Amino acid sequence: MTYRISTAGSDADWEAIHALLTRAFAFMEGQIDPPSSLTRMAPDCLARKAEAETVLLATSPGLIGCLFAKPQDGALYLGKIAIDPDHQGQGIGRALVTAAEELARQNSQTALVLETRIELTENHAAFARLGFVKTAETAHPGYDRPTSITMRKVL
């Protein structure tokens, strides 16, 4: 499969990005607690989020993946990583993370950091295959048990 990684511009289709995230995160419904913050976000929320973050898009030619990235404590924090369910397992996530690595290096950041839900062990394994290592467990506000793990990849 041929696809292209690019940075979302001011003309990004936030409806399409929201729809992609919704499709990609649908499997989590009823599996994670608390629910994904995406359930409280509309396309305009993503557009506002992108004002302070870099959004990487994978297209072939339509939208098939995305990743939000922002500087945080000397690292590049990755969030809202999504691959269209019909295109998973084709290296798109790896390509998005590789593009994020290059972005981090260009901005003198020494690592990539992300969080994934404690219940999503398949995500833990996928990120480990990309070189991420678990560094912490955290709890969402109001929870007395870990709800997420933090993973880091030193560049």
Side-chain angles (χ1 to χ4, degrees):
M1 160 179 246
T2 303
Y3 50 85
R4 183 171 91 93
I5 306 295
S6 62
T7 303
S10 59
D11 61 342
D13 183 346
W14 297 107
E15 294 279 343
I17 294 169
H18 187 269
L20 166 70
L21 284 160
T22 300
R23 283 191 311 278
F25 288 14
F27 80 98
M28 295 182 218
E29 190 172 326
Q31 186 177 353
I32 62 171
D33 181 38
S36 170
S37 62
L38 183 64
T39 62
R40 299 180 307 279
M41 298 177 107
D44 63 313
C45 297
L46 294 173
R48 284 192 304 277
K49 181 175 174 59
E51 291 172 5
E53 300 183 32
T54 300
V55 181
L56 299 175
L57 303 175
T59 54
S60 177
L63 182 64
I64 57 172
C66 71
L67 176 154
F68 284 67
K70 67 178 177 182
Q72 179 177 298
D73 301 325
L76 190 64
Y77 179 84
L78 310 182
K80 298 293 182 250
I81 303 167
I83 310 302
D84 186 279
D86 292 338
H87 294 91
Q88 292 177 1
Q90 299 176 20
I92 299 161
R94 180 178 298 279
L96 284 166
V97 169
T98 298
E101 290 173 9
E102 181 58 30
L103 180 63
R105 286 185 182 99
Q106 289 171 3
N107 292 291
S108 301
Q109 291 144 340
T110 59
L112 300 179
V113 177
L114 59 81
E115 292 180 347
T116 182
R117 293 306 186 87
I118 202 96
E119 300 94 342
L120 302 180
T121 56
E122 64 279 3
N123 285 5
H124 307 177
F127 291 125
R129 286 191 298 275
L130 295 175
F132 287 84
V133 176
K134 178 180 171 180
T135 58
E137 292 185 353
T138 57
H140 284 78
Y143 285 77
D144 61 358
R145 61 167 176 80
T147 56
S148 295
I149 68 166
T150 302
M151 299 185 82
R152 183 177 193 88
K153 180 177 183 174
V154 175
L155 302 178

